[in-house]
Amino acid sequence: MTHSAELPTTNREWHLVSRPVGWPKPEDFALVEAELKQPGPDQVLVRNKHLSVDPYMRGRMSDAKSYVAPFELGKVMQGGAVGEVVASNAEGIAVGDHVLHFFGWREYAVVDAKQAIKVDSEAAPLSTYLGVLGMTGLTAYAGLLRTASFKEGDSVFVSGAAGAVGSQVGQVAKLKGASRVIGSAGSDEKVKLLVEEYGFDAAFNYKSGPVNEQLRKAAPDGIDVYFDNVGGDHLEAAIGALNLHGRIAICGMISVYNNTEPAPGPKNLARLIATRGRIEGLLVGDHYDLQPQFVQEVGPWVASGELKYRETVVEGIENNLEAFLGVLRGDNTGKMIVTLSKP
């Protein structure tokens, strides 16, 4: 085994101790000091530098049947992370390499070599591999281009548009020749950001009035694509504004994640008959075949500054939970990242 300096023997990690009902509460979680196992054959030890917190993690905290296994009670949770290899028993991965993996919510991670993806810290800042060039970026890219079958000249509406996925959907649509891009967000400050920094043609604050009225004003000629991160009244408004052969990609429905009662569905689904509209759900895991094409196309846009991104950074493993709760509240602009300082 090759390793850098003295290896740590303990690790701080977040465990799920009870399944949240409605909004998650701090007492549902515990920051635990655990023994750190050393890497075995074909494994590496990674000192995590940046951790990802994402809305989908809320689903993994309940034990309802879903597309991904629930977090286990009394065990460390998981999530995207990028870090530096400090010990390696794996061919092709050296001490000092940077890797992307799925063992976040902890300071150090023992990772099987086949689950560690080498990333280039020279080509882009490491944190971007959790956001704009990572899972959130691929979600935006695959959802817009494949699920929603975007084509040049389309008018596109994005909800949760100041979030990590939404802001990228709108910009990729513009870069690929959308006729009009409209976004909704939850504050006037975020609306301003969408128009002034991200180049959206129009944006509105959904808290300022009924979504369907605001969307009608922002998209007088209707929409061809709706990228849904929110659900609820946004989805209903989008169905109402859909043009002939319009497409809706359902990425997330953050408005209903903490509901304890089923949320009512859109009342106007029958309109899909007249518009021949299509609604399709989207999971990034189905689209990893697009990853090389995605990095090849989007990487240069990030490097040149044509595609802009924001990160909301929270410092310290002890604040990992608060950062996650912040995502559910909408505190973040762009990707929420937890950065761990060097011990």
Side-chain angles (χ1 to χ4, degrees):
M1 179 167 75
T2 55
H3 58 85
S4 46
E6 189 82 355
L7 294 178
T9 53
T10 60
N11 195 21
R12 285 189 297 168
E13 51 187 48
W14 280 96
H15 290 200
L16 184 67
V17 292
S18 57
R19 301 209 177 274
V21 176
W23 274 88
K25 295 183 291 299
E27 50 269 33
D28 296 324
F29 308 86
L31 181 58
V32 173
E33 184 143 324
E35 185 198 349
L36 180 61
K37 293 189 170 51
Q38 298 309 310
D42 291 323
Q43 288 186 322
V44 295
L45 178 64
V46 182
R47 180 168 64 77
N48 287 334
K49 289 189 165 188
H50 305 285
L51 308 176
S52 179
V53 284
D54 305 274
Y56 79 85
M57 292 172 173
R58 175 62 185 89
R60 297 195 69 184
M61 290 168 187
S62 71
D63 56 5
K65 193 166 166 44
S66 183
Y67 57 86
V68 62
F71 291 135
E72 290 181 62
L73 288 179
K75 297 255 178 84
V76 59
M77 293 183 291
Q78 295 173 327
V82 68
E84 183 181 346
V85 174
V86 292
S88 175
N89 282 328
E91 221 173 293
I93 303 180
V95 168
D97 282 351
H98 291 100
V99 294
L100 172 67
H101 61 85
F102 210 67
F103 298 94
W105 290 86
R106 66 199 85 182
E107 291 176 305
Y108 287 85
V110 174
V111 183
D112 290 344
K114 61 176 186 292
Q115 292 181 300
I117 301 159
K118 281 211 279 191
V119 293
D120 184 354
S121 60
E122 307 272 295
L126 279 178
S127 58
T128 61
Y129 293 103
L130 294 176
V132 70
L133 291 177
M135 187 174 77
T136 45
L138 183 61
T139 303
Y141 187 85
L144 178 69
L145 302 183
R146 185 178 272 172
T147 310
S149 311
F150 170 84
K151 53 190 191 306
E152 199 176 336
D154 279 347
S155 171
V156 178
F157 171 44
V158 188
S159 58
V165 174
S167 58
Q168 200 155 346
V169 171
Q171 291 183 83
V172 171
K174 284 297 283 184
L175 286 162
K176 286 192 155 289
S179 59
R180 190 166 176 78
V181 173
I182 301 113
S184 81
S187 74
D188 292 344
E189 192 180 42
K190 287 180 178 180
V191 165
K192 197 171 164 207
L193 177 75
L194 291 176
V195 178
E196 291 180 7
E197 191 165 327
Y198 294 150
F200 281 59
D201 297 291
F204 59 85
N205 180 348
Y206 65 82
K207 295 173 183 168
S208 302
V211 174
N212 58 355
E213 287 174 22
Q214 295 200 75
L215 179 58
R216 210 171 304 133
K217 271 193 202 122
D221 299 325
I223 59 170
D224 303 300
V225 167
Y226 170 47
F227 194 104
D228 190 15
N229 290 307
V230 172
D233 53 358
H234 281 75
L235 179 55
E236 192 166 289
I239 292 169
L242 211 58
N243 290 332
L244 195 60
H245 301 299
R247 288 89 62 207
I248 294 174
I250 306 280
C251 177
M253 292 196 172
I254 202 166
S255 69
V256 301
Y257 285 176
N258 294 301
N259 289 10
T260 48
E261 294 293 314
K267 296 191 289 285
N268 56 350
L269 278 174
R271 202 170 172 271
L272 293 174
I273 303 165
T275 60
R276 278 72 111 202
R278 168 163 74 78
I279 298 184
E280 191 177 323
L282 153 70
L283 271 186
V284 69
D286 299 338
H287 304 286
Y288 280 120
D289 61 300
L290 288 178
Q291 178 79 26
Q293 177 190 322
F294 156 67
V295 171
Q296 198 180 348
E297 185 167 26
V298 176
W301 286 338
V302 172
S304 69
E306 287 171 277
L307 197 149
K308 296 176 174 55
Y309 66 94
R310 286 281 185 100
E311 291 174 342
T312 300
V313 178
V314 170
E315 295 274 346
I317 187 77
E318 59 283 358
N319 295 314
N320 214 104
L321 175 62
E322 186 47 40
F324 167 70
L325 297 175
V327 168
L328 295 183
R329 291 191 299 260
D331 294 354
N332 55 307
T333 299
K335 183 80 185 79
M336 181 74 94
I337 300 274
V338 179
T339 292
L340 308 188
S341 52
K342 198 167 180 170

